[in-house]
Amino acid sequence: MNFGHLLLVGLMFSRLPPLNQIRGFEAAARLGSFKAAAEELNITPTAVSHQISGLEDRLGVLLFDRKTRAVSLTYEGVRFADVVHKALQQIADVAEEISASRSVLRVATTASFASMWLVPHLDRFRKDNPDIRVELITSEAVSDIRRDRRIDLAIRYGRDESRAEDSVKLITESFSAYANEDYLRNLADLNDADFIETRWKNRNFPPVNWKQWLNKAGSDFSEFRVTSFDQESHVIQAALAGQGIALVSSVLVKTPVQQGWLKPLPDGPSIPGFSYWMLLSPFSQHLRKVSVFRDWLVKELAECR
């Protein structure tokens, strides 16, 4: 490569917009919102707006049509967004591959699944994969993994008919009754029991409750004491503390049962539950850290069946 060619390349690169403007534009184009882009980049919406305005001034074209409550890409914006996204994706992929530091895998899931199943099992993953650090993002809200680049893998929970087409089913649970050994030993009559259940935050979610369990068990209780929590992990913790009998998922209660901390109610029925399934980010699904965790997760949950 001669000096003249190097000079030409240098001049060409000197006309490139600043990287912060490029990143602000890519995030806003992908998410369709200056506010959402600001949240992803940890800056203010005003800063994103200034970045994009500066980029438009530099290019001499409008990249967004601004409306009262929304923004949309112009024709030039669509063309530029496609190229920018591919370029940033290639940079991110190569940086991930050649980095000497540990890869960070970000997993989005519910708080109960994270605390009661995933965290107790993660030590086995870390021992086999010390180069991958797992960060958990917990929320009851459904994250948009197709737009949010911060998430590499999502573990969803719900009815089978609500699953995304490109998701992978992991396991289907059942709900049964569990209590600690001391509580069961001192319980002479089920009529005297304290029952603990989950009342979902999402009111559109089908309930699973003691009334259903007692009906299936053939019990004709007219009255029974029920304590409810909006997190299933709290229900399990209450049972561990000897506060009553918990109606909980066979998946989430696996570790307490294996450790002998909780025991199933003898001869108690089970109620069909919901399913867990996995969704991979389109931005990072091809990376080694994602495929390694995906294979491990499938294998570990298969042992819970």
Side-chain angles (χ1 to χ4, degrees), residues 8 10-17 58-59:
L8 182 63
L11 289 172
M12 180 178 66
F13 285 170
S14 70
R15 294 197 294 270
L16 288 173
R58 189 181 185 95
L59 297 176

Side-chain angles (χ1 to χ4, degrees), residues 108-110 141-146 154-158 164 170 275-279:
T109 188
T110 64
V142 177
S143 52
D144 191 345
I145 196 170
R146 296 180 182 84
I155 302 169
R156 300 272 173 80
Y157 177 67
L170 295 168
S275 296
Y276 290 88
W277 62 87
M278 173 176 53
L279 197 61

Side-chain angles (χ1 to χ4, degrees), residues 48-60:
V48 171
S49 180
H50 286 326
Q51 288 176 355
I52 293 171
S53 295
L55 182 59
E56 290 175 327
D57 290 342
R58 189 181 185 95
L59 297 176

Side-chain angles (χ1 to χ4, degrees), residues 196-203 205 207-209 226-232 235:
I196 315 169
E197 66 185 24
T198 307
R199 184 170 297 171
W200 313 115
K201 287 183 179 180
N202 184 352
R203 297 307 181 204
F205 211 64
V208 175
N209 54 43
V226 177
T227 301
S228 63
F229 298 93
D230 61 14
Q231 293 284 348
E232 203 168 353
V235 174

Side-chain angles (χ1 to χ4, degrees), residues 80-254:
F80 196 55
D82 183 56
V83 173
V84 165
H85 172 73
K86 289 177 181 176
L88 290 179
Q89 186 67 58
Q90 288 179 331
I91 293 170
D93 290 350
V94 174
E96 179 86 26
E97 290 172 4
I98 68 174
S99 175
S101 61
R102 291 198 303 169
S103 296
V104 177
L105 178 80
R106 293 177 177 85
V107 178
T109 188
T110 64
S112 290
F113 183 79
S115 63
M116 298 309 303
W117 191 91
L118 191 51
V119 169
H121 286 76
L122 269 182
D123 189 54
R124 285 158 54 165
F125 178 81
R126 283 192 291 262
K127 287 178 179 177
D128 292 337
N129 304 278
D131 59 318
I132 301 175
R133 178 163 61 90
V134 178
E135 289 186 359
L136 300 182
I137 303 169
T138 60
S139 174
E140 303 311 307
V142 177
S143 52
D144 191 345
I145 196 170
R146 296 180 182 84
R147 299 171 69 191
D148 193 340
R149 299 178 68 102
R150 294 170 296 183
I151 300 171
D152 297 305
L153 184 148
I155 302 169
R156 300 272 173 80
Y157 177 67
R159 294 169 293 186
D160 280 352
E161 58 266 29
S162 64
R163 64 185 292 187
E165 290 183 1
D166 53 350
S167 61
V168 176
K169 188 172 180 179
L170 295 168
I171 193 171
T172 299
E173 67 187 358
S174 60
F175 280 79
S176 298
Y178 300 88
N180 73 24
E181 190 170 8
D182 287 341
Y183 188 90
L184 290 176
R185 185 186 305 115
N186 295 322
L187 183 65
D189 192 324
L190 198 59
N191 286 276
D192 300 325
D194 295 287
F195 299 102
I196 315 169
E197 66 185 24
T198 307
R199 184 170 297 171
W200 313 115
K201 287 183 179 180
N202 184 352
R203 297 307 181 204
N204 294 321
F205 211 64
V208 175
N209 54 43
W210 275 108
K211 184 177 181 180
Q212 296 168 345
W213 188 93
L214 291 168
N215 286 338
K216 189 168 184 178
S219 301
D220 56 355
F221 292 1
S222 57
E223 294 183 7
F224 49 94
R225 296 187 301 273
V226 177
T227 301
S228 63
F229 298 93
D230 61 14
Q231 293 284 348
E232 203 168 353
S233 58
H234 299 166
V235 174
I236 294 174
Q237 291 298 331
L240 288 168
Q243 296 175 13
I245 307 174
L247 183 64
V248 288
S249 162
S250 56
V251 173
L252 299 190
V253 82
K254 190 75 173 181

